[in-house]
Amino acid sequence: MSDASPDCQMDEEERHRDKLPPILCAASGGMDRGAKGQFSTFSNFISTINQKKEAAGNRNSPTQMVLPNYKNVRDLPPICLDVRQKQCISIDTLPPEMKASILPEPQIPIRNKTLKDFQVDLEKAKSTGEWRTVHDFYLTTFNSFLEINAAFKRDVNSFVNTIEDSRINTKFLNAVYDTLLTTSQDIQKTVLKGIINSLLREWKGPRTKDDIRAYFILTQNPQFSSPSTYVIYAHLLRQIATLSDTDHHFLIHWFKKMSQKRFKQLVDRLLQFISLRLFPAKPEEFPPLAKCTWWIPSATKVLALLNAANTLCNQPPIPYTDFYNSTLDLIDLMEEYQTWQFYGNSHRFSFCQFPFIISIAAKKLIIQKDSEQQMISIARQSLVDKVSRRQKPDMNMLFLNIKVRRLQLVSDSLDELTRKRADLKKKLKVTFVGEAGLDMGGLTKEWFLLLIRQIFHPDYGMFTYHKDSNCHWFSSFKCDNYSEFRLVGTLMGLAVYNSITLDIRFPPCCYKKLLSPPVVPCDQNMPVGIAPVTLDDLYQIMPELAHGLNELLSYDGNVEEDFYSTFQVFQEEFGTIKSYNLKPGGDKIPVTNQNRKEYVQLYVDFLLNKSIYKQFSAFYYGFHSVCASNALMLLRPEEVEILVCGSPELDMHALQRSTQYDGYLKTDVTVRYFWDVVLGFPLELQKKLLHFATGSDRVPVGGMADLNFKISKSETPTNWLPIAHTCFNQLCLPPYKTKKELKQKLTIAISNAEGFGLQ
């Protein structure tokens, strides 16, 4: 039978058996749920496997699995995204505790095979060459959802009312899957055929917990790492993607319990599936993309379940960056972004609905392109207005021109940005009054560095530096005008908008507050910059105070009698002690063993939200006055920090590869000495070198290559120290004669540089 065998060759019994469950056809687009013509894919697939199945005598010869060609297979119509997806996707932000109803479970056949029994059968098969017992086990186990549960479910027919426990014998399941890839081609095809039968079986009524458990088990099948199984894998993912929210909640909590290794394998398998569907190495292996447009949406929605599980863990199994799919950097992301902008989250798939899969480099590209479009639009409008008034166009009108005096840097900058608020989204150019020179990027960077250094100086009083955490936090002192906090927010926005990396040390919760909400609300009375904060957030700013509050929570004695505290806190402001109630009448409410959790939460909320609300709201509006864009909805707080401050991950070999030279060749002895010394530096000195030469010890989103680092030959005597021009990321290096001398002079220079090392 050819791959394109017509459906008419199936008898009525086969048609009934191969009828797909309604959930495969379910989608928010109102698709036909019962059209038999949709089901030729699986029918042809089963027939092909049956015809190409090898003789049983080959069972004991492990080979690589090869499945038939699917290029002529007809597939199901595309699915649409659910209306339940809210901002970005609701499944990303599920609350820690899910309320999922427990569905009744049918009686499962009793299977007594244990892990030990399986291992004995396996050893016997290897020694005798008779694989019948192992083959029959795989044949039976994966032939239906009930059999899958019978094999791997603990306490088969007992009932436990919990969402956290999948009740799966994980060790047995892992052993069965680990062994599967070492078995013969015949056994592996038998498993795939059983999975097809399971997926094709007609379902009546809602899914039971056993059905969800079977899906959970099938997702872990290592066979789905092979592109030759992707047709089956796609239909499995589709069924999972179209489950109800309640069913998804079960899966999320079960994914949370997986080992780090298995969890990572599952994520990588899905990312590979998406990448190969986008850019197949062998296009003939898959059906035409136009006929399986639902493959990628289905896989991405299942990946969203894993991302939700990862987010809900106190200690995530893998870093959020492991969900990035770098393949997406190669597609037209602006088209994806515009699709998301136009259609929202309900009608048409876009990767922007699932931002966790988009890398920070790709998100930066989206933000830059969006910024450029806004810059061009505003500049064009200024030009049109000028021409319509019959005035001569001036090229300066296309830029945000900032003119400042060095001695009045903060006040001039504040005045300029306030006066030119309508031009904030134009390209930035800076001029220092009384100084000749065009701004080719160096003056702009110098302006940022000088301004940040002055504003964050302790004597200025706007921010408090915490040595224990090496970060700044907002001063809670009350004042009449918070415009300078707005200036700092505007500076951060301009830095992101103009791709400038700032040397700012804010704690992570600052960026969480900056995205609360990610888009400025239309209602000016709606609070902004208020984020849910915890004791962990306080640890990142004031670790000593956070430790004390944690001690209060774990104190074994009588809190009320021993601490004698109330729901009232005290703060010093300009030499005066002021008191604040954490709740109405707080000065009369004692802190007890029963209410101490509430006290700690209110205290943390007061310190990180309420006491600095006016300062932070001004900062928030300043940032969003420049960066107001839906593209911010794509970002995690950690990613905003990287866009503002750069990444802390250093790769000095990458810096060596991208470095430019002026007066030196990369083969010169001094240059070779330099890289021998730098690559041998500990991380702390490498960071100091980067800070000395560029003004920041962090790396731009695009990596070391984006620094445009240059080493220039200095004609000064070799007893001089190296110098740096941070505005141009330039290091001036005298031609030292020995490696020892170079190391000594360079170490002294980078270890004793003051401030930002500006020259």
Side-chain angles (χ1 to χ4, degrees):
M1 184 184 298
S2 69
D3 289 339
S5 300
D7 289 339
C8 61
Q9 294 184 15
M10 295 169 50
D11 57 27
E12 288 303 314
E13 179 181 353
E14 195 173 6
R15 287 177 185 273
H16 179 74
R17 177 174 63 83
D18 286 345
K19 184 178 179 182
L20 286 174
I23 200 161
L24 269 181
C25 306
S28 56
M31 301 171 188
D32 180 9
R33 295 173 180 264
K36 293 181 180 180
Q38 298 171 350
F39 308 146
S40 62
T41 297
F42 277 129
S43 303
N44 291 341
F45 184 54
I46 293 172
S47 300
T48 308
I49 287 182
N50 286 333
Q51 289 198 352
K52 295 189 176 183
K53 190 174 181 181
E54 298 183 5
N58 292 331
R59 290 177 184 145
N60 61 341
S61 57
T63 59
Q64 183 178 0
M65 179 177 55
V66 179
L67 292 181
N69 186 350
Y70 303 109
K71 62 182 178 181
N72 295 320
V73 167
R74 285 186 292 144
D75 282 290
L76 300 172
I79 61 172
C80 299
L81 290 174
D82 296 354
V83 179
R84 68 171 177 269
Q85 292 176 353
K86 303 299 180 186
Q87 183 172 301
C88 294
I89 179 170
S90 61
I91 211 162
D92 265 348
T93 54
L94 290 170
E97 295 181 359
M98 303 297 175
K99 292 183 178 179
S101 57
I102 309 297
L103 299 171
E105 304 181 19
Q107 288 293 312
I108 297 174
I110 303 298
R111 298 286 181 261
N112 295 319
K113 187 178 289 292
T114 64
L115 172 58
K116 186 176 181 180
D117 295 334
F118 176 75
Q119 291 171 336
V120 169
D121 292 342
L122 190 62
E123 291 301 320
K124 184 177 179 181
K126 290 178 179 178
S127 62
T128 64
E130 176 51 57
W131 289 78
R132 169 63 63 181
T133 303
V134 175
H135 175 275
D136 290 347
F137 168 77
Y138 279 106
L139 174 65
T140 303
T141 298
F142 290 95
N143 196 47
S144 71
F145 280 13
L146 281 179
E147 289 291 349
I148 290 174
N149 278 274
F152 301 116
K153 182 179 176 183
R154 303 191 315 268
D155 305 322
V156 173
N157 286 311
S158 64
F159 181 76
V160 180
N161 189 359
T162 174
I163 191 175
E164 296 287 345
D165 185 9
S166 65
R167 295 170 62 196
I168 290 173
N169 188 336
T170 304
K171 289 184 178 180
F172 190 18
L173 175 65
N174 291 342
V176 169
Y177 275 148
D178 290 343
T179 301
L180 178 58
L181 293 184
T182 67
T183 61
S184 68
Q185 180 183 356
D186 184 45
I187 291 178
Q188 294 187 44
K189 286 185 176 181
T190 296
V191 171
L192 290 172
K193 181 180 177 183
I195 293 173
I196 294 169
N197 289 334
S198 299
L199 295 177
L200 285 170
R201 206 169 298 276
E202 184 174 1
W203 298 97
K204 296 181 179 179
R207 291 286 189 262
T208 68
K209 192 175 178 182
D210 284 329
D211 300 332
I212 311 308
R213 186 179 292 107
Y215 283 127
F216 177 65
I217 290 171
L218 291 178
T219 60
Q220 301 175 56
N221 187 342
Q223 291 176 290
F224 293 137
S225 295
S226 171
S228 59
T229 65
Y230 277 6
V231 170
I232 311 170
Y233 193 32
H235 285 87
L236 170 64
L237 296 175
R238 186 181 200 180
Q239 290 195 23
I240 295 173
T242 52
L243 292 172
S244 68
D245 279 341
T246 298
D247 298 335
H248 283 160
H249 294 168
F250 278 114
L251 289 172
I252 288 168
H253 283 277
W254 295 347
F255 286 139
K256 278 172 52 182
K257 301 296 184 180
M258 293 180 67
S259 69
Q260 190 272 343
K261 175 185 174 183
R262 305 281 173 176
F263 188 90
K264 181 71 163 59
Q265 288 174 346
L266 205 50
V267 171
D268 290 345
R269 194 174 296 137
L270 284 162
L271 291 175
Q272 176 185 283
F273 176 87
I274 293 169
S275 297
L276 290 180
R277 180 61 276 190
L278 284 171
F279 301 102
K282 298 179 179 179
E284 67 275 5
E285 285 188 341
F286 305 141
L289 188 58
K291 292 187 177 181
C292 54
T293 55
W294 48 270
W295 280 32
I296 289 175
S298 297
T300 308
K301 289 182 75 174
V302 175
L303 196 61
L305 301 177
L306 287 157
N307 180 65
N310 196 61
T311 303
L312 288 175
C313 293
N314 292 328
Q315 296 293 331
I318 60 177
Y320 69 89
T321 52
D322 282 0
F323 284 89
Y324 288 165
N325 190 331
S326 57
T327 305
L328 302 187
D329 298 357
L330 305 176
I331 67 174
D332 188 347
L333 287 167
M334 284 311 295
E335 182 180 354
E336 292 285 322
Y337 178 68
Q338 288 159 3
T339 297
W340 177 57
Q341 291 279 85
F342 186 77
Y343 291 99
N345 290 324
S346 303
H347 299 91
R348 187 171 172 182
F349 174 80
S350 165
F351 282 112
C352 290
Q353 295 163 326
F354 304 87
F356 61 84
I357 199 175
I358 305 175
S359 70
I360 179 64
K363 288 173 183 172
K364 181 186 178 184
L365 180 64
I366 292 174
I367 291 172
Q368 282 182 330
K369 294 289 186 183
D370 191 45
S371 301
E372 289 171 4
Q373 289 176 0
Q374 293 184 48
M375 286 180 182
I376 292 171
S377 176
I378 292 174
R380 182 186 293 120
Q381 187 60 47
S382 298
L383 188 61
V384 170
D385 291 344
K386 201 84 169 177
V387 172
S388 65
R389 292 195 295 269
R390 298 186 177 182
Q391 297 175 347
K392 184 178 179 181
D394 181 2
M395 287 302 296
N396 285 326
M397 66 186 294
L398 303 178
F399 297 92
L400 169 59
N401 294 288
I402 301 294
K403 295 183 179 180
V404 293
R405 296 166 294 178
R406 288 185 181 270
L407 295 179
Q408 284 81 33
L409 189 64
V410 175
S411 58
D412 282 2
S413 299
L414 182 60
D415 290 343
E416 285 281 88
L417 292 175
T418 301
R419 187 164 54 88
K420 299 176 179 178
R421 187 172 296 178
D423 297 334
L424 291 178
K425 294 193 175 186
K426 295 179 181 178
K427 186 68 176 176
L428 176 62
K429 290 182 68 175
V430 175
T431 303
F432 287 96
V433 175
E435 300 180 19
L438 295 175
D439 184 9
M440 304 301 291
L443 293 179
T444 294
K445 185 175 180 183
E446 183 180 9
W447 176 68
F448 273 112
L449 294 176
L450 289 172
L451 199 53
I452 291 297
R453 179 170 64 174
Q454 188 166 332
I455 287 174
F456 281 84
H457 195 281
D459 293 343
Y460 211 73
M462 289 179 62
F463 298 94
T464 303
Y465 180 70
H466 296 272
K467 291 183 179 179
D468 292 344
S469 56
N470 189 32
C471 72
H472 287 92
W473 191 241
F474 295 77
S475 170
S476 59
F477 293 168
K478 303 297 184 292
C479 59
D480 296 329
N481 189 350
Y482 295 94
S483 58
E484 290 182 347
F485 287 99
R486 186 180 180 106
L487 169 63
V488 178
T490 304
L491 283 176
M492 277 183 53
L494 286 171
V496 171
Y497 209 65
N498 291 271
S499 299
I500 302 290
T501 301
L502 299 181
D503 188 31
I504 293 180
R505 291 293 181 268
F506 279 133
C509 74
C510 172
Y511 301 97
K512 182 165 60 173
K513 288 165 64 67
L514 204 55
L515 294 179
S516 300
V519 177
V520 177
C522 298
D523 184 358
Q524 293 296 316
N525 295 319
M526 184 177 294
V528 296
I530 299 292
V533 289
T534 66
L535 200 55
D536 290 337
D537 293 312
L538 188 62
Y539 261 112
Q540 295 169 341
I541 307 170
M542 310 170 196
E544 189 174 345
L545 175 58
H547 178 73
L549 292 174
N550 196 48
E551 289 290 309
L552 174 65
L553 292 175
S554 60
Y555 185 66
D556 292 332
N558 189 310
V559 170
E560 182 177 3
E561 294 180 358
D562 295 346
F563 287 88
Y564 201 68
S565 297
T566 62
F567 277 70
Q568 186 180 50
V569 294
F570 300 90
Q571 284 191 333
E572 181 181 352
E573 297 181 10
F574 302 107
T576 303
I577 302 297
K578 292 190 175 182
S579 62
Y580 298 92
N581 287 345
L582 297 178
K583 59 191 299 187
D587 57 326
K588 296 180 175 59
I589 303 174
V591 179
T592 66
N593 293 63
Q594 289 71 37
N595 63 18
R596 56 184 170 180
K597 286 185 179 179
E598 180 190 11
Y599 169 78
V600 169
Q601 182 56 46
L602 290 174
Y603 196 179
V604 172
D605 184 64
F606 174 79
L607 290 173
L608 304 186
N609 281 325
K610 292 181 180 177
S611 67
I612 59 163
Y613 177 73
K614 291 184 178 179
Q615 294 89 325
F616 197 92
S617 61
F619 173 77
Y620 172 94
Y621 281 117
F623 179 82
H624 288 273
S625 67
V626 185
C627 288
S629 168
N630 285 336
L632 286 180
M633 294 171 63
L634 304 177
L635 297 173
R636 295 171 58 100
E638 301 93 329
E639 293 171 329
V640 178
E641 181 180 10
I642 291 174
L643 286 177
V644 173
C645 309
S647 169
E649 303 296 327
L650 302 189
D651 183 351
M652 302 308 285
H653 290 281
L655 181 64
Q656 181 184 15
R657 289 192 296 270
S658 61
T659 296
Q660 305 168 35
Y661 299 95
D662 180 16
Y664 282 120
L665 298 175
K666 65 179 180 180
T667 55
D668 287 347
V669 64
T670 303
V671 173
R672 295 204 309 270
Y673 287 160
F674 174 81
W675 288 114
D676 286 346
V677 168
V678 170
L679 295 176
F681 272 161
L683 179 61
E684 181 182 359
L685 283 180
Q686 289 179 345
K687 287 188 173 184
K688 285 185 177 181
L689 169 65
L690 203 62
H691 195 284
F692 175 74
T694 69
S696 172
D697 62 3
R698 294 193 167 207
V699 184
V701 171
M704 288 293 195
D706 278 9
L707 280 175
N708 296 316
F709 181 61
K710 178 185 285 187
I711 297 178
S712 298
K713 188 173 185 178
S714 173
E715 299 300 336
T716 57
T718 55
N719 62 341
W720 284 39
L721 298 176
I723 61 173
H725 301 293
T726 54
C727 298
F728 300 100
N729 298 339
Q730 183 178 14
L731 178 69
C732 298
L733 194 66
Y736 299 114
K737 302 299 183 184
T738 67
K739 185 191 297 186
K740 181 179 179 181
E741 183 183 19
L742 187 149
K743 182 176 182 180
Q744 181 187 28
K745 293 291 196 296
L746 183 62
T747 303
I748 293 172
I750 65 178
S751 300
N752 295 278
E754 180 182 356
F756 293 89
L758 287 168
Q759 301 295 331

